[in-house]
Amino acid sequence: MSDHKTMTLTLNVWRQKGPNDPGKFETYTAKGITEHHSFLEMIDVVNEDLIKSGKEPIVFDHDCREGICGMCSQVVNGVPHGGQERTTVCQLHMRKFKDGDTIFIEPWRATAFPIIKDLVVDRSAYDTIIQAGGYTSCHTGGVPDGNAVLVPKPDADYAMDAAECIGCGACAAACPNGSAMLFTSAKVAQLAALPQGKVEAAARVKAMVETMQECGFGNCSNHYECQAACPKGIDVKFIARLNREYLKAQFK
């Protein structure tokens, strides 16, 4: 017999059959949940009960469940990823809740992230921004020596801080304007700081910013909700770098 104390929780989950269908909150009871369950494991338990009773399970995105891939995308009690600092929803554990709690679970809310079904949204707009310029062009052939291009340690550290972005979309979901400025700025700043990225810097920033706007994302108005919601702690200083790079690019 298990010694773990269990919880019973009330879940209000957003259910929506498809992109063009109306959605609504439906109420479920999560029983037998321990503090050791992750948030997604808790939903797994609820889904098992739904399947056993012949009902359709809750559809949600997930993959690695280790806070790496950026697939999990849920707004928990009004906050993307649940509000625990630098934590994806897959790494949110039920020890943060108590018996009898009521939890509201929604998908990302952003114009550029249309709902596909239930808690799953289409985040391909982020892929479109990356395709516009989030890369460096290079000749194929032999791999250059790792030390052939010298990179100062401060620049490498700065680029790595920006590269931590996992593209989950929490920044756009948290922003009242539905802006992707934090995501785009992280990708632009990462390459702008390195010698390999400087050659195409002007073309890159213009293409990515214009594509971001075309995808339906709003602009930044300095609410800083993006930084607060980011599970990797991406700093808004990269948005300042993006703005500087964009202004410089206008004169090239």
Side-chain angles (χ1 to χ4, degrees):
M1 184 176 179
S2 175
D3 294 327
H4 296 312
K5 186 177 180 180
T6 62
M7 297 181 284
T8 299
L9 305 157
T10 300
L11 308 182
N12 290 298
V13 183
W14 185 262
R15 303 301 305 266
Q16 186 170 332
K17 289 184 178 181
N20 301 317
D21 296 304
K24 64 177 182 178
F25 282 105
E26 294 188 5
T27 303
Y28 303 98
T29 301
K31 299 178 181 178
I33 306 301
T34 74
E35 63 177 11
H36 302 292
H37 279 87
S38 72
F39 196 84
L40 298 190
E41 288 169 344
M42 180 271 294
I43 298 179
D44 288 338
V45 172
V46 173
N47 275 344
E48 287 177 2
D49 290 340
L50 289 173
I51 293 169
K52 287 176 183 177
S53 61
K55 298 178 181 177
E56 188 173 1
I58 300 163
V59 180
F60 63 96
D61 261 335
H62 64 97
D63 193 356
C64 74
R65 299 201 178 199
E66 294 179 346
I68 299 170
C69 71
M71 281 297 293
C72 54
S73 51
Q74 297 172 26
V75 176
V76 180
N77 289 336
V79 183
H81 289 304
Q84 186 175 343
E85 187 176 6
R86 298 198 177 196
T87 304
T88 55
V89 74
C90 65
Q91 290 295 290
L92 181 66
H93 281 73
M94 299 312 295
R95 65 180 69 95
K96 297 298 179 181
F97 301 90
K98 61 182 184 296
D99 186 38
D101 275 355
T102 297
I103 304 172
F104 284 81
I105 309 172
E106 304 171 67
W108 284 167
R109 302 290 190 183
T111 301
F113 293 155
I115 296 173
I116 297 174
K117 186 172 184 178
D118 292 348
L119 304 177
V120 177
V121 299
D122 180 359
R123 286 174 289 178
S124 60
Y126 270 13
D127 297 328
T128 304
I129 294 172
I130 292 295
Q131 290 165 2
Y135 53 85
T136 58
S137 300
C138 62
H139 296 290
T140 58
V143 178
D145 185 82
N147 296 322
V149 180
L150 299 179
V151 180
K153 183 66 163 58
D155 291 348
D157 289 344
Y158 179 92
M160 281 299 295
D161 287 345
E164 274 198 271
C165 171
I166 57 176
C168 65
C171 52
C175 178
N177 305 324
S179 174
M181 286 285 279
L182 191 66
F183 166 79
T184 306
S185 68
K187 304 308 178 185
V188 167
Q190 171 194 348
L191 296 174
L194 300 174
Q196 297 92 333
K198 291 186 184 299
V199 176
E200 298 169 295
R204 175 186 302 112
V205 68
K206 286 195 286 187
M208 293 182 75
V209 169
E210 289 166 7
T211 302
M212 176 185 69
Q213 293 170 340
E214 290 168 3
C215 286
F217 291 105
N219 209 343
C220 174
S221 51
N222 295 323
H223 284 264
Y224 294 178
E225 294 287 347
C226 53
Q227 180 176 315
C230 179
K232 296 302 175 181
I234 303 299
D235 198 288
V236 291
K237 68 182 180 183
F238 297 120
I239 296 179
R241 177 66 180 263
L242 170 67
N243 289 331
R244 291 196 299 272
E245 292 291 328
Y246 188 74
L247 285 173
K248 286 193 298 182
Q250 303 310 307
F251 298 96
K252 291 187 178 180

